[in-house]
Amino acid sequence: KSAHRRGRTTRRRLGIIRRLAVFLELQGCPAYQPPRPPKTSDIHSTARIFSRDEIRRILNAADCLAPRCSSLRHLVMPELFRVLYGCGLRVGEVVRLTVADVDLVAGILRIRQGKFRKDRLVPMAPKLQERLKTYAVALGSRGPEEPFFPSPRCGFYQTQSIYRVFRELLHRAGIAHSGRNQGPRLHEIRHSFAVHRHEQWYRAGEDLSVKLPILATYMGHSSMAGTQWYLRLTQAIFADLAIRLDRTFGHVIPKEIRP
């Protein structure tokens, strides 16, 4: 078990081992069947994709955060959430950005030791680059290893703190939340980025079979399998894409298995 493997992945692999053991027994070979993993809800089956209007409302809510005494939250959060959505980053990658990691001249974010301990370079859209330049000027001169998005104590934000702000923004934006672990989830901003990108490429007539590996690299996936999930989400939300995506990627899009 690797340090980054989630419990859901372990349970899935354990299920594969059980099926192999059953197959071996059917062939007359004695095999040990590990205990059946407990049933859990799969986050993928309930992934929430924000509409573009909902994303706009969330960002507008962040823009309206009031200043607080000895806090830069009203300056930090509008840009932090724009980086989350605009670059499709994981929240842990955003909060760990240092001043040196954000190249405001070239418009590139350097992600150090992301998931699977991988480094990567993430280009920004020009409008986001200009916003971050204005933000950096507002915060003043800082050392290269200081947090680009400083917490009230001038350290790095914890992901739980960002989640609490996310809940507040949902409320301000008029987006219902069903409770912890029920969604919408903060990570689904990243899901929304990927699905919206698929849609935009499709509308522009781009070859999705060429673009998909680019998106996988951009988002820091360890393999194409990590990006295939977004194809299924795209199919589910944009019905007119289903035929084209199934024709091109039907052999790789994970199929939903119903009991």
Side-chain angles (χ1 to χ4, degrees), residues 170-188:
L170 289 180
H171 177 72
R172 289 170 175 261
I175 301 173
H177 192 279
S178 302
R180 184 173 291 275
N181 298 325
Q182 298 299 316
R185 301 171 176 87
L186 180 56
H187 192 68
E188 287 165 351

Side-chain angles (χ1 to χ4, degrees), residues 123-138:
M124 295 181 282
K127 288 185 178 180
L128 179 58
Q129 179 183 356
E130 291 305 314
R131 286 192 64 101
L132 293 186
K133 285 181 179 179
T134 302
Y135 162 82
V137 170

Side-chain angles (χ1 to χ4, degrees), residues 154-176:
C154 297
F156 291 93
Y157 267 102
Q158 299 295 317
T159 56
Q160 278 301 106
S161 299
I162 306 302
Y163 171 75
R164 286 192 291 269
V165 176
F166 172 65
R167 289 287 300 270
E168 179 182 346
L169 296 181
L170 289 180
H171 177 72
R172 289 170 175 261
I175 301 173

